[in-house]
Amino acid sequence: MTASTTEGRFRIGVDIGGTFTDGTLVDSATGEVTTSKVLSTPSQPAQGFISAVEKLLKINDSVTPGAVEHVVHATTVATNAIIEGKTAKTAFVTTEGFRDMLEIARQIRPSLYDLQFEKPAPLVPRQLCFEVPERLDAKGEVVTPLDEQALKNVVDQIAAADVEAVAVCLLHSYRNPDHEQRVRDAIIAKLPHVIISISSDVVPEFREYLRASTTVINSSVAPIVSTYLKSISEKLHAAGVTSELLVMQSSGGVYPAEAASENPVFMVESGPAAGAVAAASLGTALGHPNVISFDMGGTTAKASLIRNGKPNITKDYSVGGAAQSGTGAFGGASGYPIRTPVVDLVEIGAGGGSVAWVDSGGALRVGPHSAGADPGPVCYGLGGEQPTITDANLVLGRLDPNYFAGGEMSLNLEAATEAIRKQCAEPLGLTVEEAAHGIVEIANTAMVNALRLVSVQRGHDPRDFMLIGFGGAGPAHAVRLAEQAGIPRVLIPLGPGTASALGLLVTDVRMEGSATLIVRSDEIELSIIANEFDRLENAGLEAHKAAASASGAPEFERTIEMRYWGQSFELSVPAPENTNIDQAWMDELIESFHEAHEKAYGFRAIDEPVELVNLRLTTIGKITRPQMRKLDNVGTDASVASKGHRPVYFAENSGEKGTLQTPVFDRSQLPAGAVFTGPAIIEEPDCTTVIHPGWTVTVDAYGNLGVELNS
Amino acid sequence: MAASETGGNTDGGSQITDPIQFEVVRSALTQVAEEMAAALRRSAYSTNVKTRQDFSCAFFDRNGRPISQAFTQPVHLGSFVELIPTSIKTYGVENLDPGDMLVVNNPFGGGSHLNDVTVFGPVHHNGELVGYVASLAHHVDVGGGAPASIGPFQEIFQEGIIIPPVKLVKKGEMNEDVFKLILAQIRSKRVTTGDFRAQVAANTVGARRLVDLVEKYGVADFDHYVAAVVDYTDRRTRAEIANIPDGVYGTTGFLDYDGFSDKVVNLKVEITVKGETVFFDFDGCDPQRRAPVNSTKAMTFSACAYALRALMAPDMPVNEGFYRHIKMNAKPGTVVHAVHPAPVVGGWETQVRINDMLFKAFAPGMPTKIAASTKAMMAQAGFGIIDSENGEYHCNYEALAGGYGARATSDGPDAVQQHGQNTENAPVEEVESHFPMRVSRLSLIEDSEGPGKFRGGLGMRRDYHFPNDPATFTVLSDRDLVGPQGIFGGMAGRKAYYILNPGSPTEEQSELTSKCVVELKPGDTVSFQTPGGGGYGPPEEREPAAVLKDVVGGKISRQRARDLYGVVIDEETNVVDESATTKARTELTSSRNSN
Amino acid sequence: MTTSAVDPIKFEVIRNALTQAAEEMAIALRRSAYSTNVKTRQDFSCAFFDKDLRSVAQAFTQPVHLGSFVRHVPIAVKRYGPENLGPGDMILSNDPYGGGVHLNDISLIGPVYYGDRLVGYTACLAHHVDVGGGAPASVGAFREVFQEGIIIPPIKFVNKGVLDDDLFRLVLSQIRSKRETSGDFRAQIASNRTGALRIIEIIDRYGIDEFEHYIDEIIEYTDRRTRVEVAKLPKGVFTAEGFVDNDGFTDEVVKLAVKITIDDDGVRFDTTGSDPQRRAPVNSTFAQTYSACAYALRALMDRDLPVNDGFYRYVHVEAPEGTVTNCVHPAPVVGGWETHVRLNDLIFEALSPAMPDAVCAGTKSMQCHAGFGGENHETGEYYCFLETLAGGYGGRSTSDGPDAVQSHGQNTENAPIEETESNYPVRITRYELVPDSEGPGEFRGGLGLRRDYMFPEEATFTILADRDKFGPRGLFDGEHGGKSVYAVIKDGNEEHLSSKTTVQLQPGEIISYRTSGGGGYGSPFKRDPQAIFEDVSQGKISHDRARERYGVEIDPETNQINEKATKELRSGC
């Protein structure tokens, strides 16, 4: 099967975002990259998808559709369905006495002081929530047997309600799935065409509401996702592209479209994950396995942490929830929790369009409101009246009014200046530059906090990482963020505007399998662990077949989620190398858990029993990384790319504030090996990179900008 | 903002308030508290802390002024404010070395009930004191008269261990003898040990981050911006208070009874808003009782702080600059300011009821901002059970949700926490895996809403079943005589019920009081049923479509829809019978006007 | 001289010096104590233990501490780890499940160092009037130990001679009567210090080797004498069953059983067959049960036998875990004294056939706790008070049971009314014997007593006692003593209370506490009419009772024994 990867040379990645749909085509032999950007078509996203593909094939006409090895897709179609309340009509079946599980949810309010708050409306209306008499205890033993007759009546009611999907979550099914499986079979027998998800399949972990919520999301978006994926594969076939369609998961890795249609809950955060994966792969390729990914677009900025080439994964997440920080309490209550793995990224409302204002306490604030693309920043001249980050960058001279979007659009500097003067500078008794600079700095602060959330709060020192800045607005802020967070190295990749889409093409096929144990290390039979891992391995092999043509032979990753007996939050610990599971293996495992716990929380409780909660086995089908292409243009002298100088305002380095004559470079002309120092501006059609004083740029062999703090 | 306002510019350039750096430091300080909260929650053992998030973390400056807080629980708003400075004073700042942490829960030294145990310690930078980090956690059991340390008690001494400020950590090392002594009083020793460790971990994390900050900005600038943050909130608070229409807002309220006598507990408040000042006067509240209805000063303060805060812009940071504007008169020796040796654990019932009253009082002044009566009780359920398998003593504590009051433009949400309370419901699977018991039902209570143009939320029912072992169960709650009232023509929500062995033969079934401890035998069940929220506006003005939705969803019965909302829904077609409805409604309105 | 030899003079001198050291500890404690319970009622004990934690010399005022204290001290020290104790350190402990008894009995233990060498431990135990918990004075009908007050595992209360303020504050915060209690704690510290000084003086005089040598000798001496005493006891197996009237929550009697096996290597007590422990105030810890057995054995031996390790090694107690005679965590224990003291009675009952002359009929055999407290309106201070009341003693083979005395392990004084009233807002309105409460017999039981407490201010009162269903049993045809009565009197109306209860009193209300009389020994008809005449003329027994129970007719007019009528009455049966 590895042979197949060399057959076709071309891979296509398509990333559908809020505003734009990005396409990337890579020649895996030469590493040559072709990119395309088209407007997204939220009404029927498949349209935007295919036009991005067609545009790619048009730009690079040397490519025949048949030579496309595979297509990888990242989409927000599932998330949007949830946020816009367009999920499929779904029924919910649970244990007698708990019909209101979804209504009651976590009984908390999303915001503490808001008397007008609302709980998110359940994805399943109460009349479609059904109970079956049955009960297991916490050990998974049957307390009340499943009442088949009552089940039959419930199935009849479901049939009468004519739903598209059914979600089943019975108490303690994570310990014993038998009842859930029998409920599923009964429904299938009567309603063969309805999509059914049972919680013991989707996410076999304890805490009924979180598991139910995940299961409901899975089944209620499944009809939408499968229809969507079907339509794009049809369109691809029509375009002559017959290769494997893979979908990006929330946790990194890709999986086959079939799997995605069955378990879409694994791809709700498909889009954002791509960026993190891109950063991870780029960092690894350049010998920097530890990086912080910073992806800033028009409305939001996303940060995530990558260690040893892997993005951090979390399961403490809510779809449509407010940005989570600290305890995560509010985010949890404002959205729909899912317990499937998601790339641990913090997304905040700070983008080029974020609005600046002065509050009643006389503080300068930025965001979370965004002017978005319409009316947009004041300088767009599209009717925007509130100053935005983009306006501030323009006033500071960091953007060129005449080279925005590669010159396709010119910006109104005067309007931006006026807005900032009136609305920010004068109320605060500052000069326009100081105010504009303040706007950028405050936005940076919020972003620095986002960086901290993913690093410090997880027990990692940002100074040990390299910052990779991309997305439309990322390169303009990355260097300054690094400065504030104390990060000494920054990387601005080639084509930062479409880096996410590139990420889709450097992702392995990954399929998660897990088994619940919940047993103390001093009470477990070691054979059980071995058997469970074997079972998961076989399941993994089976699942991998669907993606066999697109990836290499399956490999496995084993981790164990552990905690001190009595805690409820697990730490994920890699299984010891030695595959022979004996006492020594267990001792090693426990020791690494103690270490992990001490690192995270500052103490180890050696006298406490340790509990093994879940076994996880990830089946990986490696995808050969495309070659990165070296620049033909080599030389140390940057001046060949010079576009002259312009005044740019800098004030960070605690010394002299003020305007510096700053050299401007055309990125496309920079030779590999060129070295120059800040201040400097580097322009390319879809974004601008700002190099602050005190930093030195080195263009690497592939055209990435390595930016380092002068020692 | 102008530098002069921060009042701190003593030594030259470094003391000018740069608005940019101000914002940077401000969010960094919030971050400290948030990181503490995360560490606490994730390393805690008890369901009450790790899942229900019944804790709070905060940073105080070197004068013990609250600067930044991360709560999940606003009831803790006031608990910290007085407790920390008072404790520092009692213990003597000169007796605190770097790496020390004090533990305290004294209700009469600024604390609330004994379960809320605060661990806090000084933060030093190069030997210089720069502030304090504190974490408060509601410990599931602190000993005393009943498992989970809640119940109808008559004296503080019956409620569990009373902790004056003492050293829990000495120069970074656990003070083992003090720790041993505290643990010895506690039933659920294993989880409590873990929770204390988690509090220490949280403070350690917080201290580390603060030192980073001070290193970055230097002590002088750090202090200066801390002061600036306080002034900032102060300015915003004054602006917000000014937005409340001047006037005197008064109301009365009561608790159904005190747990030992049937005498209602009378509450009274008068709020005077004048320009930038607000004053809460609790004259006229009943004297404290030898019964579980006494709120400490800190608890009452929290109620005021919460109400005021809830009327302000949601993004306003809470710190000393906010608290200093809460002026109140709560006479010592009354149920709103209990003095030694009054029992205090029941004080939360009084505290939340006061919250409800404060909003009721403000209603005429800001009808669109407030809500009708909510659950307005803590609804505390505690049980203790000795695991026959391993002999371990387990305790569990929960506070249950109820119906929220309806608002001017929206229904009250169903089964949700209210006011200062925002604790989660312990997952059934989690409690069942920790304790040898079962939750046999968790559901909304149909027809429990307070009818109105906008209806109150539905109450919630949670049934606790103990199949194998005897257990001790405590109900510490209220509202079993009268449900939450409606407002502007809205009707009251269903009252609360506490039932032993519901649905079983009458000889075994009985109604419990809202404040009791019962010894359960194997096989017993306690059904805890919280009230629905009050309605807003006359029910007959409710959108028929909305009534229909509730009927279809089974939240309201057809009968009730017809009788109370005057909406007639066809049995077969499930559509609103327009003409019958108009008729029914005119009758309702006229009968309303007639009486 | 070689240390192995024993100089009888030196032996006696050192033995007395050690006892004297313990006595001085007791004096220091009593003199510096604050609470009536310690300074007047002398509810405390002091002792010296050698470096191997063997008890060497004891100064008791309270035999109940006989067994409990000597069990608790070694366990506490081992739990804390002797290696963690240096000169000037003292540990505090009251853990019922670490060898202790009820929470009020708090022991303070300190190592004694001679230079840098550990030579032993001085320890003192005091019954603190209040240790927090569910009711003032920490007595009451509780269901769990957590409700009874502060539980103190061994902790270093005094560190290198300095009181640990954190621990002191923490302990004190749980306690209602803070002022008195802190005084009593200081007194305990003083007591241990005094003891240590005396011990060091002894060593200064004789040197460590001699000192340790003679300690061995002293213990061996007691061992020898105990063996002789045991040899005098009747060999065999003796059993008895009895009960506590109720448990405070239900009316179910609490069954107690004891089996005593006496042979040459000592005496074995086995309480198998006693009821399972209850969530009620009737559970004895092992130490309490052990103490009852040790006391009973001691009571059957030569009065001047010095008690130390050499005696205890002959006391073997088998008490099944989880029963009311050896309760396990988290059973409440304060009520355990009722069980403990009843066990004493049972042991004597069991032995009565074998040693009719050594034992007595049923006594009060209950602790009779009367605890109360409240806020003193004058001082605003929270006060607590505890006392245990006397009752009738059982008749003996040759003498009546004394009226109104403490029984068995209990030997606490009655608090002087003047002292009580001058310290606490209470008035004792009656303090008298209860006529006709004796158990009739050839040698009658003692009379119970009555004590009425009137409270001018609100107060909380706890009764923790028993015997309100059945009076103390008579022996050899003797009759039962009178039952106890507990009542509250509200404006003249009397209303009976349970024997284990806590009540809230309004100003002016009265608690009337009337203890049981002792059981009689031998048939009442055998009682010397002259003795009856005495009782009647003293008003201890009524004319009617004399006639009906003793068959003695006394003419009210002439105030003479009517010989004829008496003869008829007595021959009538």
Side-chain angles (χ1 to χ4, degrees), chain B residues 101-266:
Chain B
M101 289 186 206
L102 297 178
V103 56
V104 59
N105 74 350
N106 182 5
F108 305 111
S112 52
H113 64 158
L114 298 177
N115 298 71
D116 283 350
V117 183
T118 296
V119 175
F120 76 98
V123 181
H124 290 82
H125 174 257
N126 302 335
E128 184 180 0
L129 177 65
V130 294
Y132 301 84
V133 285
S135 57
L136 175 158
H138 176 134
H139 287 263
V140 62
D141 184 81
V142 289
S149 313
I150 55 171
F153 302 127
Q154 298 194 297
E155 289 180 348
I156 187 71
F157 299 105
Q158 302 167 338
E159 302 194 306
I161 182 168
I162 303 160
I163 311 176
V166 293
K167 259 182 208 171
L168 183 65
V169 179
K170 269 185 180 161
K171 301 201 170 74
E173 294 297 320
M174 212 61 174
N175 189 353
E176 287 303 336
D177 282 355
V178 164
F179 194 33
K180 258 188 279 173
L181 183 53
I182 290 172
L183 283 178
Q185 318 314 316
I186 289 170
R187 292 177 176 80
S188 47
K189 294 185 177 14
R190 190 173 49 80
V191 293
T192 307
T193 310
D195 287 354
F196 271 114
R197 283 217 194 91
Q199 281 184 276
V200 171
N203 290 357
T204 314
V205 168
R208 216 187 290 139
R209 285 275 290 111
L210 274 169
V211 169
D212 289 352
L213 270 180
V214 177
E215 304 232 294
K216 190 158 165 203
Y217 298 106
V219 176
D221 269 21
F222 178 78
D223 286 353
H224 172 68
Y225 281 99
V226 161
V229 167
V230 172
D231 292 344
Y232 164 76
T233 293
D234 178 275
R235 281 192 302 281
R236 286 198 60 188
T237 306
R238 280 190 271 111
E240 292 279 1
I241 296 175
N243 289 342
I244 306 174
D246 282 8
V248 177
Y249 305 91
T251 189
T252 61
F254 60 88
L255 292 181
D256 291 358
Y257 53 86
D258 69 21
F260 287 97
S261 81
D262 286 347
K263 278 185 293 168
V264 302
V265 181
N266 296 297

Side-chain angles (χ1 to χ4, degrees), chain C residues 369-398:
Chain C
H369 292 102
F372 60 83
E375 272 179 292
N376 184 328
H377 289 190
E378 265 173 47
T379 63
E381 188 176 59
Y382 202 123
Y383 69 92
C384 289
F385 180 84
L386 175 82
E387 64 183 337
T388 56
L389 305 189
Y393 206 81
R396 284 78 54 97
S397 62
T398 57

Side-chain angles (χ1 to χ4, degrees), chain B residues 392-411:
Chain B
E392 182 175 355
Y393 202 134
H394 298 289
C395 294
N396 187 41
Y397 169 86
E398 292 180 70
L400 306 190
Y404 204 82
R407 290 77 57 97
T409 58
S410 61
D411 292 345

Side-chain angles (χ1 to χ4, degrees), chain B residues 335-353:
Chain B
V335 290
V336 290
H337 181 171
V339 298
H340 184 86
V344 298
V345 66
W348 289 123
E349 297 307 321
T350 307
Q351 195 262 5
V352 283
R353 192 60 50 85

Side-chain angles (χ1 to χ4, degrees), chain C residues 28-44:
Chain C
L29 177 48
R30 183 176 186 186
R31 291 264 168 81
S32 55
Y34 281 51
S35 70
T36 298
N37 194 50
V38 174
K39 69 190 178 196
T40 308
R41 304 190 60 247
Q42 303 189 55
D43 195 345
F44 64 85

